[in-house]
Amino acid sequence: MTSSPVIAAIVPCYNEELAVGKVVRDLRAAVPGMTVYVYDNNSSDRTAEVAREAGAIVRREERKGKGNVVRRAFADVDADIYVMIDGDDTYDAAALPEMIRTLQEGPYDHVLGVRDQKTETAYRPGHELGNRGFNWLVGGIFGSEVSDMLSGYRVMSRRFVKSFPAASREFEIETELTVHVMSIRVPQTEVHVGFRDRPAGSESKLRTYHDGFRILSLIVQLIRYERPLLFYGLLGAVAMLVGVVLGIPLVVEFAQTGLVPRFPTAVLAVGFGLAGALAWTVGFVLDGVLRARREQSRLIYLQYSAPAAADTSGSEPPLLRGTAS
């Protein structure tokens, strides 16, 4: 008889006194035996006390930002299966057993909780449209479709978590997780989960435009890091095009008169051409570096075993029998 997998839920929180207690209780009821870690990110209310009373292990991360919390938690917590969920009670914890079972039966390394609105006001104005736009942009650039890249509800294997560099500081962490899935091409799938309004009196920490621009900026940076040939190739093509546009009239004039009266323009055209060629060279060099970096990430990923297969014998699933001692 195989031992049950160790399952850990990571709940980043900042001033979630009104919601975190219910989140912890719902998680523990959904998956008995799972350890729930609440990471208090400098809350000024009773978030830590409420979470502790509900049965969570409470830890503190002083550097502000969800990305900082996730990076700390992924480094500190040792488990076979990791659950990441927000502490605002907007996600349906009852969907968690299905997500874990899906991870095990795949076996997959990443299961994304795709949000299904239970109320018309669950999404803040503009968030759903922005999310769709980011899904389309990231899916098109990195060549893999995603339905809800900004979802904060995910189930992940140990080997996925331990190969994830976690460089983001704030709400861009979901984007970075999604791109990591695509860049090292781990097996992953999606499960639809309920998504509802925050509890009355609880305020969202998201800042629509500020966080949207940060996510967009991160996407551009990830394109530069993860698709350097595309990024620098486009820059080089633009520079080359400008150089050609500036240079063609000079070439025509030189062919007709044998003179180059606009010498500064000629120098500028040559400069743009050289800049374009240099950009392409940088792109090719960084593409080789990227290949080596991905191979290294893949080797780290392969050091860990795949998620334990779910029990399909008809007996109680391993994830519901508690964690290994």
Side-chain angles (χ1 to χ4, degrees):
M1 177 178 174
T2 59
S3 60
S4 301
V6 178
I7 307 173
I10 295 168
V11 187
C13 285
Y14 172 66
N15 287 346
E16 297 291 1
E17 175 185 352
L18 297 177
V20 68
K22 184 176 183 300
V23 172
V24 173
R25 289 189 294 270
D26 288 349
L27 289 172
R28 298 183 69 199
V31 185
M34 177 177 65
T35 304
V36 179
Y37 295 87
V38 169
Y39 275 78
D40 179 22
N41 197 204
N42 287 331
S43 297
S44 58
D45 61 6
R46 296 183 62 254
T47 293
E49 290 86 345
V50 172
R52 193 174 291 110
E53 291 169 0
I57 296 175
V58 179
R59 293 178 176 173
R60 184 177 177 84
E61 172 54 51
E62 296 182 354
R63 289 172 295 182
K64 292 292 293 293
K66 185 176 180 180
N68 290 324
V69 170
V70 172
R71 179 170 58 252
R72 169 77 179 276
F74 282 4
D76 290 353
V77 176
D78 193 24
D80 298 312
I81 296 174
Y82 294 77
V83 176
M84 189 177 85
I85 186 171
D86 292 341
D88 56 7
D89 193 31
T90 55
Y91 294 100
D92 184 11
L96 185 53
E98 179 187 357
M99 295 177 70
I100 296 175
R101 190 174 293 110
T102 299
L103 183 92
Q104 292 177 294
E105 291 178 351
Y108 296 104
D109 288 298
H110 181 267
V111 176
L112 177 66
V114 178
R115 292 171 286 185
D116 286 336
Q117 290 193 83
K118 297 300 182 183
T119 60
E120 294 183 357
T121 56
Y123 271 113
R124 293 175 65 185
H127 282 199
E128 184 174 12
L129 181 60
N131 191 22
R132 289 180 179 177
F134 287 137
N135 292 338
W136 173 83
L137 178 62
V138 170
I141 291 172
F142 293 95
S144 181
E145 291 186 4
V146 59
S147 301
D148 191 4
M149 60 170 279
L150 299 183
S151 173
Y153 197 5
R154 299 164 189 254
V155 175
M156 298 156 285
S157 70
R158 175 182 175 84
R159 61 183 183 177
F160 175 82
V161 166
K162 296 306 181 181
S163 66
F164 176 60
S168 300
R169 292 181 295 177
E170 297 187 14
F171 285 103
E172 320 95 281
I173 188 66
E174 286 91 356
T175 302
E176 192 180 11
L177 281 165
T178 301
V179 172
H180 184 61
V181 171
M182 298 174 179
S183 65
I184 64 172
R185 298 191 295 276
V186 301
Q188 64 103 24
T189 190
E190 300 177 346
V191 171
H192 287 266
V193 300
F195 184 63
R196 55 181 175 264
D197 291 304
R198 297 173 64 94
S202 176
E203 295 184 1
S204 174
K205 314 306 182 299
L206 291 173
R207 294 168 289 178
T208 302
Y209 297 106
H210 175 271
D211 292 324
F213 281 121
R214 287 191 67 94
I215 292 169
L216 185 59
S217 174
L218 177 66
I219 291 173
V220 173
Q221 293 299 319
L222 288 172
I223 295 171
R224 184 161 68 92
Y225 295 142
E226 301 294 339
R227 296 291 303 276
L229 204 54
L230 172 65
F231 183 85
Y232 289 99
L234 288 175
L235 288 181
V238 170
M240 284 284 193
L241 180 61
V242 173
V244 169
V245 170
L246 292 174
I248 285 178
L250 300 179
V251 172
V252 172
E253 189 170 0
F254 178 77
Q256 293 174 347
T257 66
L259 300 174
V260 184
R262 291 180 291 169
F263 191 73
T265 304
V267 172
L268 189 61
V270 172
F272 272 108
L274 292 175
L278 180 60
W280 286 343
T281 301
V282 170
F284 280 112
V285 171
L286 291 181
D287 190 61
V289 173
L290 171 65
R291 182 181 179 87
R293 181 161 54 84
R294 282 184 175 172
E295 288 175 352
Q296 184 64 29
S297 295
R298 187 74 182 177
L299 290 173
I300 294 172
Y301 165 83
L302 292 174
Q303 289 178 5
Y304 301 94
S305 60
D311 187 354
T312 57
S313 63
S315 59
E316 189 178 12
L319 68 93
L320 299 180
R321 292 202 294 263
T323 59
S325 58

